Amino acid sequence: MKGIDTCAHIQDALPLKERGIAFVCRYLVPLGYAKALTADEAEGILRQGLGLLLCWELDAKRAAEGARAGTQDGERARRCAAELCVPQSTTIYFAVDYVPPQRDYDAIEAYFRAASHYCAPYGCGIYGPFDIVEEMVRRIPTLYVWQCVGGSAGKISPLADVYQYQWQGGAEAQALAAQLGYAVDMNTCEDLRKAGMWLPEEKKPWYTDTVAWALKEGVVTEARPTDYATRAEVMQMIRNYNRRFEEEDTKNASGLLTD
């Protein structure tokens, strides 16, 4: 099955399915980034029957910074996924978007061990060229694999759950981009579920609307819907909620006449 990955926001997913596209890869990153996947966008993609592949990438060489970076990225990716109410069966692919020299391998391994731990309960995958995905899966067999054509010297890993076979400059990618109005890379995947994609038939968790309401009303500042709350956090949420009424009382009192 064919799929695309893109930095563009997809407003209308229907033309993709009509053109034989079965899945879309978008960026699971904080909403301050222009390429960030939004909740409305995700809902639209899934509603049209397309699989959704999630990628975390803020910097091409971030994984070479080791365990501390992996911890930070794993935690942030988990929070972003929770705020979008992504099903816990979904995989987050962390990018190694360059051809790393062997001297970077140990740091990259440390990054993925940390990211795997801190992005749980979501699965952890690696995006990158042939040599690094092969080496990282040898060291960490639980990783999912999304291999890119760039830097792979024509080799395709048999371990790849997803394979990006053509960049934007390729003829097929350019032809599709001309029809859609935004740049795309071309991918293939034999089994969307095995690759850990967010699939259309997976229902939203029961708490989706409640989380959206709480964030909008300022009751909470981040979602974390499946995490435990401390007593202090519960008290803060109650206080945040009560402030809505305190502000309303202040407005009403300002219009009263007093002796």
Side-chain angles (χ1 to χ4, degrees), residues 32-238:
Y33 289 83
K35 64 183 180 181
L37 173 71
T38 67
D40 288 345
E41 183 185 2
E43 184 177 350
I45 291 169
L46 295 167
R47 187 171 57 244
Q48 299 300 339
L50 299 167
L52 187 51
L53 184 68
L54 302 178
C55 181
W56 176 273
E57 181 179 4
L58 301 182
D59 183 272
K61 297 182 179 181
R62 172 73 166 169
E65 297 178 27
R68 183 175 180 182
T71 298
Q72 293 171 343
D73 288 359
E75 289 181 334
R76 294 179 75 187
R78 177 180 55 80
R79 288 198 298 269
C80 287
E83 287 167 8
L84 290 177
C85 295
V86 177
Q88 294 181 0
S89 58
T90 307
T91 296
I92 303 170
Y93 288 82
F94 295 81
V96 181
D97 210 358
Y98 74 114
V99 181
Q102 289 192 0
R103 65 176 178 270
D104 287 355
Y105 282 11
D106 288 347
I108 293 173
E109 178 187 356
Y111 175 92
F112 277 96
R113 289 194 182 279
S116 295
H117 178 76
Y118 286 98
C119 78
Y122 301 100
C124 182
I126 179 173
Y127 166 90
F130 179 87
D131 287 343
I132 191 61
V133 300
E134 286 267 317
E135 179 64 20
M136 286 304 109
V137 174
R138 186 185 68 79
R139 298 185 183 201
I140 312 173
T142 56
L143 288 178
Y144 293 80
V145 175
W146 177 14
Q147 186 199 337
C148 62
V149 61
S152 292
K155 295 177 286 187
I156 303 175
S157 172
L159 303 172
D161 298 292
V162 183
Y163 177 56
Q164 184 193 71
Y165 66 88
Q166 190 175 108
W167 278 357
Q168 296 174 14
E172 184 180 1
Q174 286 186 330
L176 183 57
Q179 296 172 11
L180 298 174
Y182 51 85
V184 300
D185 301 321
M186 302 302 301
N187 297 263
T188 185
C189 176
E190 290 186 7
D191 189 332
L192 307 191
R193 189 177 301 278
K194 184 171 177 282
M197 294 193 199
W198 186 358
L199 299 177
E201 67 267 22
E202 293 177 328
K203 295 180 180 179
K204 287 185 177 180
W206 63 267
Y207 49 74
T208 299
D209 292 340
T210 300
V211 169
W213 171 84
L215 288 166
K216 180 180 178 181
E217 296 295 334
V219 177
V220 295
T221 57
E222 58 180 0
R224 299 192 287 122
T226 59
D227 287 0
Y228 293 110
T230 65
R231 291 168 65 89
E233 288 175 322
V234 171
M235 287 185 280
Q236 184 64 57
M237 286 185 278
I238 294 171

Side-chain angles (χ1 to χ4, degrees), residues 7-19:
C7 290
H9 287 273
I10 298 175
Q11 302 302 324
D12 185 359
L14 188 57
L16 292 173
K17 199 165 187 182
E18 292 175 344
R19 289 167 173 79

